[in-house]
Each structure stands twice: as C-alpha cells, then as structure tokens.
Amino acid sequence: MDPAHYLKQQLKRTCHRYGLLKPGDHVMVAVSGGKDSYTLLVLLDELTRSLPYEVRLTAVHLDQQQPGYDGKPLQDWLSQFSVPFEILSEDTFSVVTTHLKEGSTYCSMCSRLRRGILYSAAERLGCNKIALGHHREDTLETFLMNLLYSGKLQAMPASYTTDDGRFQVIRPLLECAEADIALFAKERAFPILPCNLCGSQSGLKRERMSELLESLGQEIPNVKGIMLAALGNVMPTHLLDPSLHDAWQARPPEVRPSSPAASKERRSAALPILSRTAGEAGQAPTPRRLPVLGNSQDGSP
C-alpha cells in the first residue's frame, strides 16, 4: 500500500477514535524540522480541509539557537505552505549545556524548556490544542523505558490535558509506523533540520529501547503492532495495582461489560487414592480403596 495513503487513513482513524479534533479547535502544530513534524503538519492540513466543521491550524517552530543551526530551508518551506506559521527564537541550548553536568542526558531539560515556550505561544495565539509528532515507535520506547527503568506501566497517550488545564496535547501520528513516515518524508523531500543537541549524544536509554525493539522484530513478526495493540487492550484485573482494581470494579456498566463465561465440557473429577480427615490428624494415613474409573464389575466403561 502507498505509504502516503496508509498514513492518511491511520491518522484519520486515530483522530476519530480518540476524538482529537472538535469543531472550533485552534491547533498549534509544533514543527521541529524533523520528518515527523513535517508529516504531521501536511496530513493534518489535508484532514482538516475535508472535515465538515472548521478546525484552524497554526504551525510554530522554535529556534533553540543550537550551534550550526540553519532554519532558512524550513522558513522557505513554511512560507510556501498554506498554513499560518510563526518562528520563535530562544537560547535554550546554553541553558541546557550550562546547567547539566558533562555526560548528562540533555533531552529531559531541553523538552521541559521547549514545552514551556510552546505553551506560552499557544496561549498568545489563542490555541486550545497543541499537536506533537510522536509516532508508534516513540510510545513503545517510552513504555519500555518506564517499564524497565522506572517500574511503572506508562506510555504516551493519544491526548492529555496539561497540568494547568489550559491546553489539550494531541498526538495524531501515535499509531503510525516510523518507517512509513520516513518514506513519506523522502517522497515529499522535506528539508530536514538536524538536532545538534540530543542528536549529538550516544548511548541514550531511548536508543537502547529502539535497538531492543528491532531485535525483537527479527524474532516476532509485527511485534511493534502487537505491542501497540496491547497498550489498548489492558486487563486491570490481572495487574497488581489495588487502586486500579478497585476503580475497575466500580466502572459503569457500559465500560467493557463482563460477558458470562462459556460453559465448559465436564470432565471426570480426579479422586484421591490416599486421604486423611481432620479427626485423624497425627495418625498414620489410612489408605482407602476407591473405584477405578472404567473398570466396573459389569465391564461397562
């Protein structure tokens, strides 16, 4: 199947399944200059044009003043594209490299600073939603990192409300495969901007999770699709969080209603060949001769 067509259909299904777009939404699309955010902006633009209600998009790119940064290719591309846009500039690179010890991972602090700047821009622009370009592999890697390093079952949701309640953050590409996005980006010849901050580090935990997924993929066909399906097929009664179990028991009747167990074929019970009653405790076990199934005196089975 054509990657472009498949991505469009997948993004459309994700938006519909999780209710990511509503009438009157003004969505700020965060454009980093990578393949994912270009793809997100193009596909969202195509989708919103086909909706029976109005959804506005504004693309926002943040120049973090990294060494060697050249944003002109992105600026030229946005200028020729149909969506309104803004380019911001803030020296988060110096903040990150100054405050972190040598050898520390940049990603966490960098993302917090970037997120704060984008939230401020979204408020100024009057946006109620912020769209990010995370894809299937991103959420699987996050799930594995939380599982193996933090001891919690947590991945990336398709949408969530920010702690201050101001915005809803949405991830329309969350069920899209990174390989399909890469093919789409190559076909469209997007002017990719390299990341000279986190992209300059090696040996990251996320990198290790990516290697683990690729290794599993050599043994298990479609392991990434299977894992993604598992994140949407949770069995709370088979986990160990008591609060989750209590909440599941109190769920409204329309939430995955319990179906009666199917009757199973009765099988002959295994009868004891040696037993001791409670009153015989402390005494030697008394063998009891019991009938053997299939050996009745009349020869019947």
Side-chain angles (χ1 to χ4, degrees), residues 228-293:
L228 187 71
L231 293 177
N233 187 26
V234 179
M235 300 297 177
T237 54
H238 289 60
L239 298 175
L240 303 180
D241 187 335
S243 62
L244 183 63
H245 182 269
D246 293 343
W248 180 250
Q249 294 302 320
R251 72 192 186 278
E254 68 271 13
V255 177
R256 200 182 290 181
S258 300
S259 56
S263 60
K264 296 182 179 180
E265 179 185 354
R266 289 185 174 273
R267 300 181 182 275
S268 300
L271 300 176
I273 60 172
L274 187 66
S275 68
R276 179 174 63 195
T277 65
E280 297 171 338
Q283 302 177 17
T286 303
R288 291 176 171 78
R289 186 178 298 277
L290 299 170
V292 179
L293 296 177

Side-chain angles (χ1 to χ4, degrees), residues 135-146:
H135 48 64
R136 180 185 69 179
E137 279 70 13
D138 288 325
T139 196
L140 294 181
E141 290 164 11
T142 298
F143 170 70
L144 288 173
M145 287 173 64
N146 283 320

Side-chain angles (χ1 to χ4, degrees), residues 196-265:
N196 296 318
L197 191 59
C198 60
S200 66
Q201 292 187 291
S202 60
L204 301 177
K205 291 178 180 178
R206 184 170 294 277
E207 192 177 79
R208 178 69 183 94
M209 296 303 98
S210 177
E211 293 171 355
L212 176 58
L213 285 171
E214 293 304 317
S215 175
L216 288 171
Q218 296 177 11
E219 304 173 23
I220 308 171
N222 193 31
V223 67
K224 295 177 183 178
I226 294 170
M227 290 179 66
L228 187 71
L231 293 177
N233 187 26
V234 179
M235 300 297 177
T237 54
H238 289 60
L239 298 175
L240 303 180
D241 187 335
S243 62
L244 183 63
H245 182 269
D246 293 343
W248 180 250
Q249 294 302 320
R251 72 192 186 278
E254 68 271 13
V255 177
R256 200 182 290 181
S258 300
S259 56
S263 60
K264 296 182 179 180
E265 179 185 354

Side-chain angles (χ1 to χ4, degrees), residues 26-49:
H26 185 183
V27 183
M28 186 183 84
V29 183
V31 179
S32 66
K35 67 183 189 311
D36 309 324
S37 58
Y38 277 116
T39 300
L40 174 65
L41 181 59
V42 169
L43 296 185
L44 271 183
D45 179 52
E46 293 183 7
L47 175 61
T48 54
R49 290 176 183 275

Side-chain angles (χ1 to χ4, degrees), residues 1-12:
M1 182 181 291
D2 175 32
H5 177 75
Y6 184 77
L7 283 173
K8 292 174 187 177
Q9 294 303 312
Q10 185 64 72
L11 178 136
K12 183 178 180 179

